[in-house]
Amino acid sequence: MGKVKIFDTTLRDGEQSPGINLNHKEKLDIAFQLERLGVDIIEAGFPASSQGDFQSVKDIATQIKNSSVTGLARSKQEDIDACWEALKQSAEPRIHVFLATSPIHMQYKLKLTPEQVVERAVESVKYAAKKFPHVQFSAEDASRSDWAFLAKIIEATIDAGASVINLPDTVGYGMPKEISELFEYMTKNVPNIDRAILSTHNHDDLGMGVANSLAAIQGGARQVECTINGIGERAGNASLEEIAVGLHIRSDFYKTGTNIQLNELKRTSALVSRYTSMPIPKNKAVVGSNAFAHESGIHQDGMLKHKETYEIITPELVGATSSNPLGKHSGRHAFQEKMKELGFKGSTEELNQLFQSFKTLADKKKTVTEDDLYALMIDQGDDEQVQTYTLQALQVSYGTNQTPTATIKLIKSGEEEMTEASTGSGSVEAIYNTLAKLTDYEYRLTDYRIQSITEGEDSLAEVHVKLSKEEQSQSGRGVAHDVLEASAKAYLHAVNRMLNEKKRKKEPSTVG
C-alpha cells in the first residue's frame, strides 16, 4: 500500500482556533519543528488573507527544504496569484484550492448551481496548474455532498490538472463507516482516479476526527490532513500524533505507515501548546502527561511483571523521556549541544542570552529538563517584535491582614523609566492594576491560566493570559521561577503584542 502522506495544517487551520494569533517568528519555529518531525506537506497559511500571512508563507516556503510547503486559495485568480508569489521560490511549489460542493453550501453560501460550481472549480484548477506543478483541489463539505455530483467534479478537476483530491468532513458530521464508504465509492466510480491521490481532512465536532481519518485510509485515502494536538476550528481537527502513532502501533491492521519521526512528537506538541497558549489535557492520547501513568494497583503490578500488560506505547517512542538533563555544573558546550538537539536556530548572541538564563535557573533548580529549556527559548522573546514595555523590577507586599500592594518599574521603548504602585484584592490583581496604570490602557483580562513546567516545588511557572480592548484581543505568556513575576511578564507580553498589531494595521500593505 505504500506510506500515507501527512499534510499538516497547524499553521493554517490550526491557527483558526479561537484565541490563537501566532506571529511571524512563532510560525517559523513551528515550521522548522514540523520539518524535523518529518511532515510531508506543511500548509503554511492563506496568503491572500493578509500581508502578514503572505509574508509568513513566503518565508517558510523559502527556508523549509525537506517538507513541501503549500498555501490555501479560494477558487479565485487573485488568491491563486497570491499563492504563487508566496510559494514560487519553494523547493516544491504546491497550492491547495477549495470550493464547496454540498447542497447547503452551494445554495446559501455560494449561490451557484451545481453546474456553475463545476465550471468554477475547473477554471480555477486549470489556472493554478499553469503555475504550480502540484495542485490540490478540496471539495469543501464533501461529507454532506451528493456522491454522484462529487464523482463528477472530481473527474473534471483531475482532467483540469489536479493531482490531489481532498474530501473533507468540514463540520465533523461523518461517521467512520460513512467516510470509508465515501472513499471506496470515489475509488470505484471516478474513471481517472488513478491519476490523483485521495486526501482526507476531518474535524472533531462529534469526536470522530481521528477515527474518520483512519477509516478514510481504509477506504483508499493516501494523504491525511491533521494538526498538532488536534487544534483547529470549533472542536478542532484530527490529531497528527494520534494518527501517526495509531498507524505505527497497528501496522499489522492498516498495513501502512508514515514518514513521521515519532520521537519528535512530544517536543512538537509542547512547542505548539506553548505558542498557542492551549494547554494539553493530562489525559490526551500519546502526548498527555498521564498518557504513561499507571495509578491502579492492578495496573502497577502488571507493569512491574511485564510492561506490555498495560503499556502499548512506550514514552521513548514519542520522545516523552528526557535524556541527559542539565544542571548548574553543565558547561557552555553541553548546553549548546542540547540546544542544537532541540532544534534551536537562533544567533550566537541569542544562544549566549539563553545560556545566561539557563545558568540563573540552574542555580535555583537541581535539574533543568528539556521542558524547562523549551520554556526559556519561548520566553526569550520575539525577534521581530518591538518591546514597548520591559519589566525592570517588581515588588509585592502581601499579608493576611493587609491589602496586597504591587510596586513595578518598567522601561518604555528602551529608555524611559516608569514606576507605579497599586493595590488589589489579591497579589495578581494588584500587579495587573499597576501595569494597567503604567501602560496607559484599561485592558480587560478575559483569561488567566497558570501551570508548572515540570513537577516539584522548584518548577518554573508558566502563565498564559488574554487581554481585550474594544475590538482587539491578544494572548500573552510569561515564564519565571516566581508565579507573580511570570504573571507580570505574561501581561506585558500581551500588551506589547497588542501594540505591535495595532501599529501593523495602520501601515499600508499589499498582498502579492
Side-chain angles (χ1 to χ4, degrees), residues 83-256:
C83 267
W84 177 246
E85 288 303 314
L87 292 157
K88 63 184 179 183
Q89 300 299 324
S90 67
E92 188 182 38
R94 68 171 62 221
I95 189 171
H96 180 192
V97 181
F98 73 96
L99 190 64
T101 56
S102 66
I104 192 169
H105 275 245
M106 290 190 289
Q107 180 180 352
Y108 293 104
K109 187 180 78 171
L110 300 179
K111 301 187 185 302
L112 297 174
T113 66
E115 291 73 22
Q116 289 172 321
V117 168
V118 173
E119 182 181 357
R120 179 178 291 186
V122 168
E123 287 177 357
S124 300
V125 170
K126 278 184 177 179
Y127 185 75
K130 292 177 182 178
K131 300 173 180 289
F132 289 87
H134 300 284
V135 178
Q136 171 173 319
F137 174 74
S138 277
E140 185 186 6
D141 206 22
S143 60
R144 294 192 295 173
S145 299
D146 177 77
W147 289 10
F149 175 67
L150 266 183
K152 179 181 177 181
I153 199 169
I154 290 170
E155 182 181 0
T157 50
I158 291 175
D159 282 339
S163 55
V164 180
I165 298 294
N166 181 39
L167 303 178
D169 184 23
T170 304
V171 294
Y173 178 78
M175 293 290 116
K177 189 172 185 291
E178 295 172 322
I179 297 296
S180 181
E181 289 176 351
L182 169 64
F183 279 83
E184 288 173 0
Y185 179 91
M186 298 308 155
T187 301
K188 294 175 182 176
N189 291 279
V190 177
N192 55 1
I193 198 65
D194 59 310
R195 289 160 45 193
I197 294 171
L198 281 175
S199 180
T200 184
H201 178 125
N202 298 285
H203 281 263
D204 207 37
D205 297 72
L206 295 177
M208 296 291 174
V210 171
N212 284 342
S213 298
L214 296 174
I217 292 171
Q218 287 182 280
R222 289 298 168 265
Q223 178 176 292
V224 180
E225 304 187 9
C226 42
T227 61
I228 300 298
N229 298 335
I231 64 173
E233 290 270 17
R234 305 180 310 280
N237 287 265
S239 164
L240 183 152
E241 57 274 8
E242 293 177 27
I243 293 168
V245 172
L247 290 174
H248 173 78
I249 296 296
R250 293 310 310 272
S251 60
D252 62 317
F253 182 81
Y254 291 102
K255 308 297 182 185
T256 189

Side-chain angles (χ1 to χ4, degrees), residues 372-399:
D372 292 325
L373 293 176
Y374 262 122
L376 292 178
M377 286 167 61
I378 292 171
D379 188 54
Q380 185 167 275
D382 309 322
D383 59 356
E384 84 282 357
Q385 175 169 294
V386 176
Q387 302 294 324
T388 305
Y389 297 104
T390 306
L391 182 66
Q392 184 72 8
L394 166 67
Q395 182 176 325
V396 179
S397 175
Y398 171 79

